[in-house]
CSV table of all heavy atoms in Angstrom, one decimal:
chain,number,residue,atom,x,y,z
A,1,ILE,N,305.4,74.2,261.1
A,1,ILE,CA,304.0,73.9,260.9
A,1,ILE,C,303.2,74.1,262.3
A,1,ILE,O,302.2,74.8,262.3
A,1,ILE,CB,303.7,72.5,260.3
A,1,ILE,CG1,304.1,72.5,258.8
A,1,ILE,CG2,302.2,72.1,260.5
A,1,ILE,CD1,304.1,71.1,258.2
A,2,MET,N,303.8,73.5,263.3
A,2,MET,CA,303.1,73.6,264.6
A,2,MET,C,303.1,75.0,265.2
A,2,MET,O,302.2,75.5,265.8
A,2,MET,CB,303.7,72.6,265.6
A,2,MET,CG,303.4,71.1,265.2
A,2,MET,SD,303.9,69.9,266.5
A,2,MET,CE,305.7,70.1,266.5
A,3,ARG,N,304.3,75.7,265.0
A,3,ARG,CA,304.4,77.1,265.5
A,3,ARG,C,303.4,78.0,264.7
A,3,ARG,O,302.7,78.8,265.3
A,3,ARG,CB,305.8,77.6,265.4
A,3,ARG,CG,306.7,76.9,266.4
A,3,ARG,CD,308.2,77.3,266.1
A,3,ARG,NE,308.4,78.7,266.2
A,3,ARG,CZ,308.9,79.3,267.3
A,3,ARG,NH1,309.1,78.6,268.4
A,3,ARG,NH2,309.1,80.6,267.3
A,4,LEU,N,303.4,77.9,263.4
A,4,LEU,CA,302.5,78.7,262.6
A,4,LEU,C,301.0,78.4,262.9
A,4,LEU,O,300.2,79.3,263.0
A,4,LEU,CB,302.7,78.5,261.1
A,4,LEU,CG,303.9,79.3,260.5
A,4,LEU,CD1,304.0,79.0,259.0
A,4,LEU,CD2,303.6,80.8,260.6
A,5,THR,N,300.7,77.1,263.1
A,5,THR,CA,299.3,76.8,263.4
A,5,THR,C,298.9,77.3,264.7
A,5,THR,O,297.8,77.9,264.9
A,5,THR,CB,299.2,75.2,263.4
A,5,THR,OG1,299.5,74.7,262.2
A,5,THR,CG2,297.7,74.8,263.8
A,6,ALA,N,299.8,77.2,265.7
A,6,ALA,CA,299.5,77.8,267.1
A,6,ALA,C,299.3,79.3,267.0
A,6,ALA,O,298.4,79.9,267.6
A,6,ALA,CB,300.6,77.4,268.0
A,7,GLN,N,300.1,80.0,266.2
A,7,GLN,CA,300.1,81.4,266.1
A,7,GLN,C,298.8,81.9,265.4
A,7,GLN,O,298.1,82.8,265.9
A,7,GLN,CB,301.3,81.9,265.4
A,7,GLN,CG,301.4,83.4,265.2
A,7,GLN,CD,302.6,83.9,264.4
A,7,GLN,OE1,303.3,83.1,263.9
A,7,GLN,NE2,302.8,85.2,264.3
A,8,ARG,N,298.5,81.3,264.2
A,8,ARG,CA,297.4,81.7,263.4
A,8,ARG,C,296.1,81.4,264.1
A,8,ARG,O,295.1,82.2,263.9
A,8,ARG,CB,297.5,81.1,262.0
A,8,ARG,CG,298.7,81.4,261.2
A,8,ARG,CD,299.1,82.9,261.2
A,8,ARG,NE,300.3,83.1,260.4
A,8,ARG,CZ,301.0,84.2,260.5
A,8,ARG,NH1,300.7,85.2,261.4
A,8,ARG,NH2,302.1,84.4,259.7
A,9,ARG,N,296.0,80.3,264.8
A,9,ARG,CA,294.7,79.9,265.4
A,9,ARG,C,294.7,80.3,266.9
A,9,ARG,O,293.7,79.9,267.5
A,9,ARG,CB,294.5,78.4,265.2
A,9,ARG,CG,294.3,78.0,263.8
A,9,ARG,CD,293.8,76.5,263.7
A,9,ARG,NE,293.4,76.2,262.3
A,9,ARG,CZ,293.7,75.1,261.7
A,9,ARG,NH1,294.4,74.2,262.3
A,9,ARG,NH2,293.3,74.9,260.4
A,10,LYS,N,295.7,81.0,267.3
A,10,LYS,CA,295.8,81.4,268.7
A,10,LYS,C,295.5,80.2,269.7
A,10,LYS,O,294.6,80.3,270.6
A,10,LYS,CB,294.7,82.5,269.0
A,10,LYS,CG,294.9,83.7,268.1
A,10,LYS,CD,293.9,84.8,268.5
A,10,LYS,CE,294.0,86.1,267.6
A,10,LYS,NZ,295.2,86.3,266.9
A,11,ARG,N,296.4,79.2,269.6
A,11,ARG,CA,296.3,78.1,270.4
A,11,ARG,C,297.6,77.9,271.1
A,11,ARG,O,298.7,78.5,270.8
A,11,ARG,CB,296.0,76.8,269.6
A,11,ARG,CG,294.7,76.9,268.8
A,11,ARG,CD,293.5,76.9,269.7
A,11,ARG,NE,292.2,76.7,269.0
A,11,ARG,CZ,291.4,77.7,268.6
A,11,ARG,NH1,291.8,78.9,268.7
A,11,ARG,NH2,290.3,77.4,267.9
A,12,ASP,N,297.6,77.0,272.1
A,12,ASP,CA,298.9,76.7,272.8
A,12,ASP,C,299.7,75.8,272.0
A,12,ASP,O,299.2,74.9,271.2
A,12,ASP,CB,298.6,75.9,274.1
A,12,ASP,CG,297.9,76.8,275.2
A,12,ASP,OD1,298.5,77.9,275.4
A,12,ASP,OD2,296.9,76.5,275.7
A,13,LEU,N,301.1,75.9,272.1
A,13,LEU,CA,302.0,75.0,271.4
A,13,LEU,C,301.9,73.6,272.1
A,13,LEU,O,301.4,73.5,273.2
A,13,LEU,CB,303.4,75.6,271.6
A,13,LEU,CG,303.8,76.7,270.7
A,13,LEU,CD1,305.1,77.3,271.1
A,13,LEU,CD2,303.9,76.3,269.2
A,14,PRO,N,302.4,72.6,271.3
A,14,PRO,CA,302.4,71.3,271.9
A,14,PRO,C,303.3,71.3,273.2
A,14,PRO,O,304.2,72.1,273.3
A,14,PRO,CB,303.0,70.4,270.8
A,14,PRO,CG,302.8,71.2,269.6
A,14,PRO,CD,302.9,72.6,270.0
A,15,THR,N,303.1,70.2,274.0
A,15,THR,CA,304.0,70.1,275.2
A,15,THR,C,305.4,69.7,274.7
A,15,THR,O,305.7,69.3,273.6
A,15,THR,CB,303.4,69.0,276.1
A,15,THR,OG1,303.4,67.8,275.3
A,15,THR,CG2,302.0,69.3,276.5
A,16,GLY,N,306.3,69.9,275.7
A,16,GLY,CA,307.7,69.6,275.4
A,16,GLY,C,307.9,68.1,275.0
A,16,GLY,O,308.7,67.8,274.1
A,17,SER,N,307.2,67.2,275.6
A,17,SER,CA,307.3,65.8,275.3
A,17,SER,C,306.9,65.5,273.9
A,17,SER,O,307.4,64.6,273.2
A,17,SER,CB,306.5,65.0,276.3
A,17,SER,OG,305.2,65.3,276.3
A,18,TRP,N,305.9,66.3,273.4
A,18,TRP,CA,305.4,66.1,272.0
A,18,TRP,C,306.5,66.5,271.0
A,18,TRP,O,306.8,65.8,270.1
A,18,TRP,CB,304.2,67.0,271.8
A,18,TRP,CG,303.3,66.7,270.6
A,18,TRP,CD1,303.4,67.1,269.3
A,18,TRP,CD2,302.2,65.8,270.6
A,18,TRP,NE1,302.5,66.6,268.5
A,18,TRP,CE2,301.7,65.8,269.3
A,18,TRP,CE3,301.5,65.0,271.5
A,18,TRP,CZ2,300.6,65.1,268.9
A,18,TRP,CZ3,300.4,64.3,271.2
A,18,TRP,CH2,299.9,64.3,269.9
A,19,TRP,N,307.2,67.6,271.3
A,19,TRP,CA,308.3,68.0,270.4
A,19,TRP,C,309.4,67.0,270.5
A,19,TRP,O,310.0,66.7,269.4
A,19,TRP,CB,308.8,69.4,270.9
A,19,TRP,CG,308.0,70.6,270.7
A,19,TRP,CD1,307.0,71.0,271.5
A,19,TRP,CD2,308.0,71.4,269.5
A,19,TRP,NE1,306.4,72.2,270.9
A,19,TRP,CE2,307.0,72.4,269.7
A,19,TRP,CE3,308.8,71.5,268.4
A,19,TRP,CZ2,306.8,73.4,268.8
A,19,TRP,CZ3,308.6,72.5,267.4
A,19,TRP,CH2,307.6,73.4,267.6
A,20,ALA,N,309.7,66.5,271.7
A,20,ALA,CA,310.8,65.6,271.8
A,20,ALA,C,310.5,64.3,271.1
A,20,ALA,O,311.4,63.7,270.5
A,20,ALA,CB,311.1,65.3,273.3
A,21,LEU,N,309.3,63.8,271.2
A,21,LEU,CA,309.0,62.5,270.5
A,21,LEU,C,309.1,62.7,269.0
A,21,LEU,O,309.6,61.8,268.3
A,21,LEU,CB,307.6,62.1,270.9
A,21,LEU,CG,307.0,60.8,270.3
A,21,LEU,CD1,308.0,59.7,270.6
A,21,LEU,CD2,305.6,60.5,270.7
A,22,ILE,N,308.6,63.8,268.4
A,22,ILE,CA,308.7,64.0,267.0
A,22,ILE,C,310.2,64.1,266.6
A,22,ILE,O,310.6,63.5,265.6
A,22,ILE,CB,308.0,65.3,266.6
A,22,ILE,CG1,306.4,65.1,266.7
A,22,ILE,CG2,308.3,65.7,265.2
A,22,ILE,CD1,305.6,66.3,266.5
A,23,ALA,N,311.0,64.8,267.3
A,23,ALA,CA,312.4,65.0,267.0
A,23,ALA,C,313.1,63.6,267.1
A,23,ALA,O,314.0,63.3,266.2
A,23,ALA,CB,313.1,66.0,267.9
A,24,LEU,N,312.8,62.8,268.1
A,24,LEU,CA,313.4,61.5,268.2
A,24,LEU,C,313.0,60.6,267.1
A,24,LEU,O,313.9,59.9,266.5
A,24,LEU,CB,312.9,60.9,269.6
A,24,LEU,CG,313.5,59.5,269.9
A,24,LEU,CD1,315.0,59.5,269.9
A,24,LEU,CD2,312.8,58.9,271.2
A,25,LEU,N,311.8,60.6,266.7
A,25,LEU,CA,311.3,59.7,265.6
A,25,LEU,C,312.0,60.1,264.3
A,25,LEU,O,312.5,59.2,263.5
A,25,LEU,CB,309.8,59.9,265.4
A,25,LEU,CG,308.9,59.2,266.5
A,25,LEU,CD1,307.5,59.6,266.3
A,25,LEU,CD2,309.1,57.7,266.4
A,26,PHE,N,312.1,61.4,264.0
A,26,PHE,CA,312.8,61.8,262.8
A,26,PHE,C,314.3,61.5,262.9
A,26,PHE,O,314.9,61.0,261.8
A,26,PHE,CB,312.7,63.3,262.6
A,26,PHE,CG,311.4,63.7,261.9
A,26,PHE,CD1,310.5,64.6,262.5
A,26,PHE,CD2,311.1,63.2,260.7
A,26,PHE,CE1,309.4,65.0,261.8
A,26,PHE,CE2,309.9,63.5,260.0
A,26,PHE,CZ,309.0,64.4,260.6
A,27,SER,N,314.9,61.6,264.0
A,27,SER,CA,316.4,61.3,264.2
A,27,SER,C,316.6,59.8,263.9
A,27,SER,O,317.6,59.5,263.2
A,27,SER,CB,316.9,61.8,265.5
A,27,SER,OG,316.7,63.2,265.7
A,28,LEU,N,315.8,59.0,264.6
A,28,LEU,CA,316.0,57.5,264.4
A,28,LEU,C,315.7,57.2,262.9
A,28,LEU,O,316.4,56.3,262.4
A,28,LEU,CB,315.0,56.8,265.3
A,28,LEU,CG,315.3,56.9,266.8
A,28,LEU,CD1,314.2,56.2,267.6
A,28,LEU,CD2,316.7,56.3,267.1
A,29,ALA,N,314.7,57.8,262.3
A,29,ALA,CA,314.4,57.5,260.9
A,29,ALA,C,315.6,57.9,260.0
A,29,ALA,O,315.9,57.2,259.0
A,29,ALA,CB,313.1,58.2,260.5
A,30,ALA,N,316.2,59.1,260.3
A,30,ALA,CA,317.3,59.5,259.5
A,30,ALA,C,318.5,58.6,259.5
A,30,ALA,O,319.1,58.2,258.5
A,30,ALA,CB,317.8,60.9,259.9
A,31,VAL,N,318.8,58.1,260.7
A,31,VAL,CA,320.0,57.2,260.9
A,31,VAL,C,319.6,55.8,260.2
A,31,VAL,O,320.5,55.3,259.5
A,31,VAL,CB,320.3,57.0,262.4
A,31,VAL,CG1,321.3,55.9,262.5
A,31,VAL,CG2,320.8,58.3,263.0
A,32,SER,N,318.4,55.4,260.4
A,32,SER,CA,318.0,54.1,259.9
A,32,SER,C,318.0,54.1,258.3
A,32,SER,O,318.4,53.1,257.7
A,32,SER,CB,316.6,53.7,260.4
A,32,SER,OG,316.6,53.6,261.8
A,33,ARG,N,317.7,55.2,257.7
A,33,ARG,CA,317.6,55.3,256.3
A,33,ARG,C,319.0,55.5,255.7
A,33,ARG,O,319.3,55.0,254.6
A,33,ARG,CB,316.8,56.4,255.8
A,33,ARG,CG,316.6,56.6,254.3
A,33,ARG,CD,316.1,55.3,253.7
A,33,ARG,NE,316.2,55.3,252.3
A,33,ARG,CZ,317.2,54.9,251.5
A,33,ARG,NH1,318.3,54.5,252.1
A,33,ARG,NH2,317.2,54.9,250.2
A,34,ALA,N,319.9,56.1,256.4
A,34,ALA,CA,321.3,56.3,255.9
A,34,ALA,C,322.2,55.1,256.0
A,34,ALA,O,323.1,54.9,255.2
A,34,ALA,CB,321.9,57.5,256.6
A,35,LEU,N,322.0,54.3,257.1
A,35,LEU,CA,322.9,53.2,257.3
A,35,LEU,C,323.0,52.2,256.2
A,35,LEU,O,324.1,51.8,255.8
A,35,LEU,CB,322.4,52.5,258.6
A,35,LEU,CG,322.8,53.2,259.9
A,35,LEU,CD1,322.2,52.4,261.1
A,35,LEU,CD2,324.3,53.3,260.1
A,36,PRO,N,321.9,51.8,255.5
A,36,PRO,CA,322.0,50.8,254.5
A,36,PRO,C,322.9,51.3,253.3
A,36,PRO,O,323.6,50.5,252.7
A,36,PRO,CB,320.6,50.6,254.0
A,36,PRO,CG,319.7,50.9,255.2
A,36,PRO,CD,320.5,52.0,255.9
A,37,ASP,N,322.8,52.6,253.0
A,37,ASP,CA,323.6,53.1,251.9
A,37,ASP,C,325.1,53.3,252.3
A,37,ASP,O,326.0,53.4,251.5
A,37,ASP,CB,323.0,54.4,251.4
A,37,ASP,CG,321.7,54.2,250.8
A,37,ASP,OD1,321.4,53.1,250.4
A,37,ASP,OD2,320.9,55.2,250.7
A,38,LEU,N,325.4,53.4,253.6
A,38,LEU,CA,326.7,53.6,254.1
A,38,LEU,C,327.4,52.3,254.2
A,38,LEU,O,328.6,52.2,254.0
A,38,LEU,CB,326.7,54.4,255.4
A,38,LEU,CG,326.4,55.9,255.3
A,38,LEU,CD1,326.3,56.5,256.7
A,38,LEU,CD2,327.5,56.6,254.5
A,39,PHE,N,326.7,51.3,254.6
A,39,PHE,CA,327.3,49.9,254.8
A,39,PHE,C,326.6,49.0,253.8
A,39,PHE,O,325.6,48.3,254.1
A,39,PHE,CB,327.0,49.5,256.3
A,39,PHE,CG,327.6,50.4,257.3
A,39,PHE,CD1,326.9,51.3,257.9
A,39,PHE,CD2,329.0,50.2,257.6
A,39,PHE,CE1,327.4,52.2,258.9
A,39,PHE,CE2,329.5,51.1,258.6
A,39,PHE,CZ,328.8,52.1,259.2
A,40,LEU,N,327.2,48.9,252.6
A,40,LEU,CA,326.7,48.2,251.5
A,40,LEU,C,326.7,46.7,251.7
A,40,LEU,O,326.0,45.9,251.0
A,40,LEU,CB,327.4,48.6,250.2
A,40,LEU,CG,327.3,50.0,249.9
A,40,LEU,CD1,328.1,50.3,248.6
A,40,LEU,CD2,325.9,50.5,249.7
A,41,LEU,N,327.5,46.2,252.7
A,41,LEU,CA,327.7,44.8,252.9
A,41,LEU,C,326.6,44.2,253.9
A,41,LEU,O,326.6,43.0,254.2
A,41,LEU,CB,329.1,44.5,253.5
A,41,LEU,CG,330.2,44.7,252.5
A,41,LEU,CD1,331.6,44.4,253.2
A,41,LEU,CD2,330.0,44.0,251.2
A,42,LEU,N,325.7,45.1,254.4
A,42,LEU,CA,324.6,44.6,255.2
A,42,LEU,C,323.8,43.6,254.5
A,42,LEU,O,323.5,43.8,253.3
A,42,LEU,CB,323.8,45.8,255.7
A,42,LEU,CG,324.3,46.7,256.8
A,42,LEU,CD1,323.3,47.9,257.0
A,42,LEU,CD2,324.4,45.9,258.1
A,43,PRO,N,323.4,42.5,255.1
A,43,PRO,CA,322.5,41.6,254.5
A,43,PRO,C,321.2,42.2,254.1
A,43,PRO,O,320.7,43.2,254.7
A,43,PRO,CB,322.3,40.5,255.5
A,43,PRO,CG,322.7,41.1,256.8
A,43,PRO,CD,323.7,42.1,256.5
A,44,TRP,N,320.5,41.7,253.0
A,44,TRP,CA,319.3,42.3,252.5
A,44,TRP,C,318.2,42.3,253.6
A,44,TRP,O,317.4,43.3,253.7
A,44,TRP,CB,318.8,41.5,251.3
A,44,TRP,CG,317.6,42.1,250.7
A,44,TRP,CD1,316.3,41.5,250.7
A,44,TRP,CD2,317.4,43.3,250.1
A,44,TRP,NE1,315.4,42.3,250.1
A,44,TRP,CE2,316.1,43.5,249.7
A,44,TRP,CE3,318.3,44.3,249.7
A,44,TRP,CZ2,315.6,44.6,249.0
A,44,TRP,CZ3,317.9,45.5,249.1
A,44,TRP,CH2,316.5,45.6,248.7
A,45,SER,N,318.2,41.3,254.5
A,45,SER,CA,317.1,41.3,255.5
A,45,SER,C,317.3,42.5,256.5
A,45,SER,O,316.3,43.1,256.8
A,45,SER,CB,317.2,40.0,256.3
A,45,SER,OG,318.5,39.8,256.9
A,46,ALA,N,318.6,42.8,256.8
A,46,ALA,CA,318.8,43.9,257.7
A,46,ALA,C,318.5,45.2,257.1
A,46,ALA,O,317.9,46.1,257.7
A,46,ALA,CB,320.3,43.9,258.2
């Protein structure tokens, strides 16, 4: 989405830190969502 938007609107791509933050957020979210289904004995609060 960001690459196509930059290309079609002739704009600069986001900075490297912007890319890194988005990738980090998705990676943490992926692990956080998978863990409860992998470890069924986790308490409900966790």
Side-chain angles (χ1 to χ4, degrees):
I1 287 173
M2 291 189 294
R3 287 170 65 92
L4 276 178
T5 301
Q7 180 183 6
R8 302 308 181 201
R9 289 193 174 135
K10 300 184 182 341
R11 301 295 192 264
D12 289 310
L13 283 169
T15 61
S17 58
W18 197 273
W19 288 89
L21 180 57
I22 290 175
L24 178 62
L25 287 170
F26 277 126
S27 297
L28 293 175
V31 174
S32 299
R33 183 57 189 86
L35 284 178
D37 294 338
L38 288 174
F39 299 96
L40 300 178
L41 296 180
L42 281 175
W44 181 250
S45 58

